[in-house]
Amino acid sequence: MLEFFILFNLVILLPILIFGLIITKINNYVSSKLRTKSKWWLYTLCSSIGTPIHELSHLIFNLIFGHKIKSVALFRPIESKKDGILGYVDFTYNPKSIYHNIGLFFSGIAPMIGGSIVLFLIMKFLLPEVFVSLEYFEINNLNIIEILNNIKNSVMSNMELIFKNYGKIENLIIFLVLAFSISTHMSISTEDLKSAMQGGIVVEVVIAVISVMLKAFGLAFLTQFLLLISSYLISFLLLGLIFSMISLVIAFVISLF
């Protein structure tokens, strides 16, 4: 009866949680290396692309789920010198609405999804040779060892592709600059995490109900669709992780000067 519920947690929520924590840890380190008094200008410059994408990701999901937008600031470099806030989306929602509460979850994790998709699209235009050769992650079974091994192979293979099949060197440089700015703002803030956890409770309840309905109506074949969605989700998150790792190296080099 709860097969779909367990599968959803294993292949959707767990990857989001794990990748979210890793990407956030990496990006917090990168920020600590750049958000110093002497390098604030560099951090602000690097944020000029990543911050608007971060906030737009929140905004899009807020609008999809019907949240009421009070105010939006996609990028506020001058004001951030005083309060450290480069951008924000201020919204309200109906706490009694299931749909609104589900939206809190997606709005909370939006920067990871939005940033990964934008990186994917930029790669398509700047590094088409890499784009057509990308290895996409597939889940064929729930063998944890095999899944972790496939993740490792996917990361190594795609990183090798980026630095070997890039085509024009100028395109690679532009892409790395954009990827650095975007990937360093894919992290989940404390407020984002609280929002995602609050909405996640409602998501869990809804998925449990759906699981019971699928069992009752014999729609177990939809589990294959869930695995397909998970494969695309993890592929996007892996791309975000790859560039967070590259950003980590770039930030370390910058910190030496």
Side-chain angles (χ1 to χ4, degrees):
M1 183 174 71
L2 294 179
E3 291 177 2
F4 188 84
F5 176 79
I6 295 172
L7 187 63
F8 181 86
N9 279 273
L10 287 176
V11 302
I12 299 294
L13 291 187
L14 187 59
I16 289 174
L17 175 63
I18 293 174
F19 279 98
L21 289 174
I22 295 174
I23 291 173
T24 297
K25 285 290 184 182
I26 292 175
N27 290 346
N28 286 344
Y29 174 83
V30 171
S31 296
S32 69
K33 291 296 181 182
L34 297 182
R35 295 185 76 164
T36 61
K37 192 172 182 179
S38 62
K39 295 184 177 70
W40 181 260
W41 66 272
L42 179 59
Y43 178 74
T44 304
L45 181 64
C46 291
S47 302
S48 61
I49 298 172
T51 298
I53 291 175
H54 179 108
E55 301 305 336
L56 277 172
S57 299
H58 283 308
L59 180 62
I60 289 171
F61 277 102
N62 286 142
L63 293 174
I64 289 174
F65 285 92
H67 298 160
K68 184 178 180 180
I69 307 301
K70 296 172 65 177
S71 62
V72 177
L74 296 182
F75 188 50
R76 51 198 297 274
I78 298 176
E79 299 90 335
S80 66
K81 289 184 178 181
K82 298 179 181 179
D83 56 22
I85 300 175
L86 284 165
Y88 64 84
V89 176
D90 187 15
F91 68 94
T92 59
Y93 69 99
N94 181 0
K96 296 181 180 180
S97 168
I98 295 177
Y99 188 63
H100 280 201
N101 277 282
I102 292 175
L104 289 180
F105 171 75
F106 287 99
S107 174
I109 66 170
M112 283 197 306
I113 298 176
S116 297
I117 292 175
V118 171
L119 282 171
F120 187 80
L121 294 175
I122 292 175
M123 179 180 285
K124 180 178 181 180
F125 290 102
L126 287 177
L127 305 177
E129 299 88 354
V130 176
F131 180 81
V132 297
S133 303
L134 278 176
E135 290 191 13
Y136 295 95
F137 185 83
E138 292 185 7
I139 297 180
N140 299 313
N141 57 65
L142 295 181
N143 185 310
I144 300 299
I145 301 299
E146 183 176 334
I147 289 175
L148 291 176
N149 190 53
N150 288 342
I151 287 176
K152 182 198 71 173
N153 292 338
S154 179
V155 169
M156 298 303 294
S157 297
N158 286 334
M159 286 188 74
E160 185 178 356
L161 279 173
I162 290 167
F163 291 102
K164 281 190 175 181
N165 294 12
Y166 56 81
K168 297 179 181 179
I169 185 64
E170 57 269 30
N171 283 9
L172 176 63
I173 293 173
I174 294 172
F175 179 76
L176 288 177
V177 171
L178 294 175
F180 179 73
S181 177
I182 295 169
S183 63
T184 52
H185 290 83
M186 287 173 54
S187 55
I188 306 300
S189 68
T190 302
E191 289 302 315
D192 294 341
L193 182 60
K194 289 180 180 178
S195 178
M197 290 179 65
Q198 182 179 340
I201 295 173
V202 179
V203 170
E204 290 278 50
V205 173
V206 171
I207 294 301
V209 172
I210 291 175
S211 181
V212 173
M213 293 176 64
L214 292 180
K215 186 71 174 180
F217 292 99
L219 299 177
F221 68 90
L222 288 179
T223 56
Q224 292 302 314
F225 177 71
L226 188 63
L227 290 175
L228 178 63
I229 294 298
S230 176
S231 295
Y232 281 109
L233 172 67
I234 295 178
S235 293
F236 283 132
L237 293 178
L238 276 173
L239 190 61
L241 177 61
I242 287 171
F243 287 103
S244 288
M245 294 167 64
I246 294 174
S247 297
L248 182 63
V249 175
I250 294 174
F252 177 76
V253 173
I254 291 174
S255 69
L256 298 177
F257 296 95

